[in-house]
Amino acid sequence: MATQLDTLDVLVLAALLLGTIAYFTKGSLWAVEKDTITGIYGGSKANGAATKGSKTRDIVKTMEESDKNMVIFYGSQTGTAEDYASRLAKEGSARFGLKTMIANLEEFDYENLDTLPEDKVAVFVMATYGEGEPTDNAVDFYEFIMGDDVNFTEGDRLGNLKFIGFGLGNNTYEHFNAVIRRLTATLLKLGAKQIGNIGEGDDGTGTMEEDFLAWKEPMWKALQEEMDLEEREAVYEPVFSIAERTELSVEDDTVYLGEPNKNHLEGGSKGPYGANNPFIAPIKSSREIFTVKDRNCLHMEIDLTGTNLSYTTGDHIAVWPTNAGKEVDGFLKVLGLEEKKDGVIDVTGIDSTAKVPFPTPTTYDAIARYHLEICAPVSRQFLASLAAFAPTPTAKDELTRLGGDKDYFQETISSRYLNIAQVLELNAPGEIWSNVPFSLMVEGLNRIQPRYYSISSSSLVQPKLVSITCHGDPEPDPHGLSYAITGPRNKYDGIHVPVHTRASNFRLPSDPSKPVIMIGPGTGVAPFRAFVQERAALAEKGERIGKTLLFFGCRKASEDFLYQEEWKEYASKLGDSFSLITAFSRDGPEKVYVQHRLKERAKEVNELLAQGSYFYVCGDAAHMAREVNTSLGSIIAQERGLTETQGEEIVKRLRSSNLYQEDVWS
């Protein structure tokens, strides 16, 4: 039963929510092939490009006016592709003297790509999102270039275009790296020339970073031969200048302290709200839904009333996080900026195409708290770039070794999930890394990204009240971590969170009489609460509802049976059309999971699929979702007298026809 909480309760739960979100900064993001929803300020963090509001969306003109000969386009959903694009731009400039820029795909038009001169090269760093789809910022470009009747300024060919490609994907998805593969095939068909091999990173095996590093060296060699480049000793060249503004103080109302844009700074955010402009939404209510003290899961209601934000059942909500105070302090301390944390600085692009990834003037503290992923895993390449600024010869040698030896890096850094401040402290205990240019941190660390949650409410039932279901911690600061839940200048006052919504392809059938089978253990049940809630509401209105089969798993019925009472309410409305099948892994002598229950209901599952049932999976991609996929193939083969291979092929056809849908995370 939901309860109304007083302000103090909500404050604590808001802290829990942010604590939960902060966990995901360590590399686990929701329901995407890992790669940005385009960042808050619409620009890239290094060697950037023109925004929609700037002088031109003509990429050829932009390159000519800024004297560039290499452009790295990125299609990014969580920031990784943008980071790789930035790293390629910096490396191309430092090692080979290339005049590079990176470009957000949504900020340019592409009709004149055919006029890009032959002495220039385009790089495409493309993440695949969901089931073979382009990222949000790449949709317009992708639809244009893949169109049957694509036409450019001077015809339908790209004979002048030289291109390089790297894809970011996840092999737990059916359409692994589909975007870069399809784009490459299309560009070649249009007459473009490919340089080097197309790289493919795999987040499903956890090798994305090493896949990228292994690909780029032979790529650079191929580009050297193609463009007759000479390699030189790489020297750090800043993209941004950092200027201290001693005439300003942290109290000045023109200084950004974490506000995403000018409207937020001036006290009143304005719509339309979206990925570039979050809404500071009130937390209407929050309640604990576990019944055990040492583990925690929250059900929260976030109010979107009075905004343009809307959602459809199955969509996601993005919550904008902050870094923990302890991590912010540690980051600033190791860089020798502890005493200057509230000092006001201006960050400006040295190059005409470089765009600062946050508004300025601002402070070191605000940048570390609200804008940089200082808690994220560190890349081997980034550590190598820091070696030149080490405070001791020993630390320099160690960072050089870490940057060059992937096995040693894995053993020493990756396996321990160390963030940048922890790595620097580990390699020079007690030393201050004051020689590291702060611009290098701005360029080398990803922008902090929104954390995406599957919405656990029906838009039919509560169109402006979004529910989320998320793990937390039983204490607001279980590891000595505290969060600025009041936000910059107390704009969140502890009971608001910055949010926006994101459309998903995870959808109920438009005809409610169609049967559905849902697999959602743990918090993977979130979107299925929304699905069942919606079907129950339609049943109350007299609609005919098809069989609604939900497989839910957790540890113990007495501890973490999410929405236990609600399922009974929905069952009373849906009658025989609803069945809840549970798997409690620690309630018996043997562990039982949802895939085991699925096999037990093999006959019914097969019959429903034969009737055109939709099949949904939400939760862990690497284990549960993969095993469910395998189990379904076996069920079909067994029930229809087919071979295992034939069963697998039918599952693939279900996927391609959108009857098998996933909302999973790594």
Side-chain angles (χ1 to χ4, degrees):
M1 185 71 68
T3 56
Q4 279 301 118
L5 303 177
D6 64 25
T7 301
L8 180 59
D9 290 328
V10 178
L11 274 167
V12 170
L13 288 167
L16 285 170
L17 173 62
L18 290 171
T20 304
I21 293 164
Y23 167 78
F24 292 105
T25 64
K26 300 187 186 301
S28 187
L29 299 175
W30 291 85
V32 296
E33 285 203 45
K34 197 169 224 177
D35 114 324
T36 251
I37 286 292
T38 307
I40 312 174
Y41 313 108
S44 54
K45 63 186 176 181
N47 296 82
T51 62
K52 289 182 179 179
S54 64
K55 293 180 180 179
T56 180
R57 289 176 57 83
D58 184 332
I59 185 61
V60 177
K61 184 177 180 181
T62 298
M63 292 183 72
E64 288 175 350
E65 290 181 346
S66 56
D67 192 29
K68 304 298 183 185
N69 58 7
M70 182 179 197
V71 57
I72 302 100
F73 295 108
Y74 65 86
S76 189
Q77 197 74 17
T78 66
T80 309
E82 182 185 1
D83 176 53
Y84 287 171
S86 177
R87 286 159 62 178
L88 288 172
K90 289 181 64 63
E91 188 172 356
S93 174
R95 286 178 59 181
F96 304 104
L98 287 163
K99 297 170 182 176
T100 62
M101 64 174 286
I102 74 170
N104 185 335
L105 277 166
E106 71 178 352
E107 294 173 357
F108 292 96
D109 298 321
Y110 300 96
E111 286 82 358
N112 66 344
L113 264 184
D114 60 329
T115 66
L116 193 70
E118 290 183 327
D119 62 349
K120 302 185 189 299
V121 64
V123 183
F124 295 92
V125 183
M126 308 291 290
T128 297
Y129 166 63
E131 291 297 338
E133 298 138 27
T135 56
D136 291 357
N137 75 310
V139 169
D140 289 346
F141 164 74
Y142 189 75
E143 291 180 349
F144 168 77
I145 203 76
M146 303 295 290
D148 293 334
D149 55 351
V150 60
N151 264 295
F152 302 98
T153 305
E154 298 176 359
D156 60 358
R157 304 292 290 167
L158 289 174
N160 286 346
L161 183 68
K162 295 177 179 177
F163 76 97
I164 292 165
F166 182 81
L168 296 84
N170 186 318
N171 72 3
T172 61
Y173 287 82
E174 175 72 12
H175 304 287
F176 174 60
N177 262 315
V179 170
I180 194 64
R181 292 180 180 182
R182 293 170 186 161
L183 176 60
T184 299
T186 298
L187 292 176
L188 291 172
K189 181 181 176 182
L190 292 171
K193 181 178 182 180
Q194 177 182 323
I195 298 174
N197 293 324
I198 299 301
E200 293 190 357
D202 185 3
D203 190 49
T205 56
T207 59
M208 182 76 76
E209 176 71 13
E210 291 302 330
D211 293 338
F212 172 72
L213 295 179
W215 162 79
K216 71 181 181 65
E217 286 309 315
M219 179 277 292
W220 286 128
K221 184 175 181 180
L223 185 61
Q224 271 187 280
E225 294 175 358
E226 178 67 31
M227 297 184 71
D228 194 24
L229 303 175
E230 288 188 14
E231 186 167 3
R232 62 187 187 183
E233 183 179 355
V235 177
Y236 172 65
E237 298 174 350
V239 173
F240 302 116
S241 68
I242 312 293
E244 296 188 358
R245 296 286 300 275
T246 55
E247 79 281 10
L248 294 175
S249 76
V250 72
E251 286 82 21
D252 288 327
D253 58 12
T254 58
V255 175
Y256 290 85
L257 301 181
E259 297 89 351
N261 56 49
K262 191 174 182 181
N263 285 331
H264 283 265
L265 177 67
E266 293 178 346
S269 65
K270 297 178 182 178
Y273 298 104
N276 298 316
N277 183 35
F279 170 58
I280 310 304
I283 301 171
K284 189 102 178 226
S285 66
S286 180
R287 60 188 169 96
E288 172 60 54
I289 48 178
F290 277 0
T291 57
V292 61
K293 291 182 179 180
D294 62 340
R295 296 170 62 227
N296 176 271
C297 189
L298 300 175
H299 175 87
M300 305 190 82
E301 305 276 354
I302 297 173
D303 195 350
L304 305 181
T305 302
T307 75
N308 66 294
L309 293 175
S310 62
Y311 74 100
T312 300
T313 305
D315 283 348
H316 303 130
I317 187 167
V319 182
W320 297 69
T322 66
N323 288 312
K326 180 180 178 181
E327 299 295 348
V328 172
D329 293 342
F331 175 76
L332 296 175
K333 182 178 180 180
V334 79
L335 295 176
L337 298 171
E338 189 175 23
E339 300 300 319
K340 301 168 107 179
K341 70 175 187 175
D342 291 327
V344 179
I345 58 173
D346 256 337
V347 182
T348 55
I350 294 174
D351 185 276
S352 62
T353 61
K355 261 196 325 297
V356 182
F358 43 77
T360 67
T362 184
T363 66
Y364 290 110
D365 183 272
I367 293 171
R369 191 176 303 276
Y370 293 101
H371 300 306
L372 298 182
E373 287 278 25
I374 63 172
C375 294
V378 184
S379 79
R380 188 157 62 87
Q381 187 177 1
F382 185 48
L383 287 189
S385 72
L386 294 174
F389 305 103
T392 66
T394 301
K396 180 178 181 179
D397 291 344
E398 185 67 5
L399 257 62
T400 301
R401 182 184 177 190
L402 287 168
D405 187 332
K406 69 177 183 179
D407 293 331
Y408 183 59
F409 176 80
Q410 167 63 28
E411 175 190 342
T412 309
I413 307 299
S414 291
S415 62
R416 299 167 66 184
Y417 304 101
L418 299 179
N419 63 40
I420 184 60
Q422 292 167 337
V423 171
L424 298 184
E425 173 62 27
L426 176 70
N427 285 284
E431 297 284 347
I432 300 298
W433 293 66
S434 56
N435 291 330
V436 177
F438 192 69
S439 57
L440 183 52
M441 288 294 169
V442 175
E443 297 159 21
L445 296 177
N446 285 352
R447 284 189 316 221
I448 201 165
Q449 295 295 323
R451 279 29 175 176
Y452 294 95
Y453 293 86
S454 299
I455 295 175
S456 54
S457 55
S458 160
S459 58
L460 176 67
V461 177
Q462 45 187 82
K464 284 295 184 180
L465 197 61
V466 170
S467 299
I468 60 173
T469 309
C470 59
H471 284 300
D473 257 301
E475 300 293 337
D477 55 351
H479 308 295
L481 302 180
S482 59
Y483 298 84
I485 62 172
T486 60
R489 292 185 170 89
N490 197 35
K491 287 185 169 68
Y492 308 164
D493 61 28
I495 53 173
H496 291 74
V497 286
V499 302
H500 71 269
T501 54
R502 182 180 73 183
S504 166
N505 291 322
F506 203 65
R507 290 282 184 265
L508 278 167
S510 56
D511 179 359
S513 68
K514 288 280 188 183
V516 297
I517 302 166
M518 301 166 285
I519 318 292
T523 55
V525 81
F528 302 135
R529 176 186 181 263
F531 282 13
V532 176
Q533 186 184 68
E534 181 151 318
R535 289 202 144 196
L538 290 170
E540 278 193 304
K541 291 182 177 181
E543 296 268 6
R544 187 167 71 87
I545 305 300
K547 186 66 181 179
T548 305
L549 208 61
L550 172 60
F551 291 84
F552 170 74
C554 62
R555 292 185 185 180
K556 295 185 177 182
S558 61
E559 293 183 358
D560 52 357
F561 191 166
L562 299 180
Y563 304 114
Q564 183 174 6
E565 296 303 315
E566 284 191 32
W567 302 125
K568 297 174 185 176
E569 295 175 20
Y570 299 139
S572 69
K573 297 174 182 177
L574 288 164
D576 293 340
S577 68
F578 178 62
S579 294
L580 174 65
I581 300 96
T582 55
F584 303 117
S585 63
R586 301 190 184 181
D587 266 349
E590 295 182 1
K591 290 186 176 181
V592 179
Y593 298 110
V594 287
Q595 54 267 35
H596 300 137
R597 296 296 190 219
L598 188 67
K599 287 182 177 179
E600 291 172 4
R601 306 285 284 243
K603 186 174 186 299
E604 181 179 13
V605 167
N606 179 59
E607 288 175 352
L608 289 174
L609 290 174
Q611 297 167 24
S613 176
Y614 283 63
F615 190 89
Y616 302 91
V617 182
C618 183
D620 166 52
H623 300 99
M624 182 277 297
R626 184 171 284 182
E627 290 176 21
V628 166
N629 182 90
T630 302
S631 297
L632 188 62
S634 297
I635 286 170
I636 292 171
Q638 170 193 312
E639 294 297 315
R640 301 183 187 182
L642 304 173
T643 65
E644 288 288 322
T645 300
Q646 289 172 318
E648 291 169 3
E649 286 302 315
I650 290 175
V651 172
K652 288 181 180 179
R653 289 203 295 271
L654 289 173
R655 286 178 175 274
S656 63
S657 61
N658 214 35
L659 290 171
Y660 188 126
Q661 299 180 25
E662 287 183 321
D663 185 359
V664 296
W665 55 88
S666 301

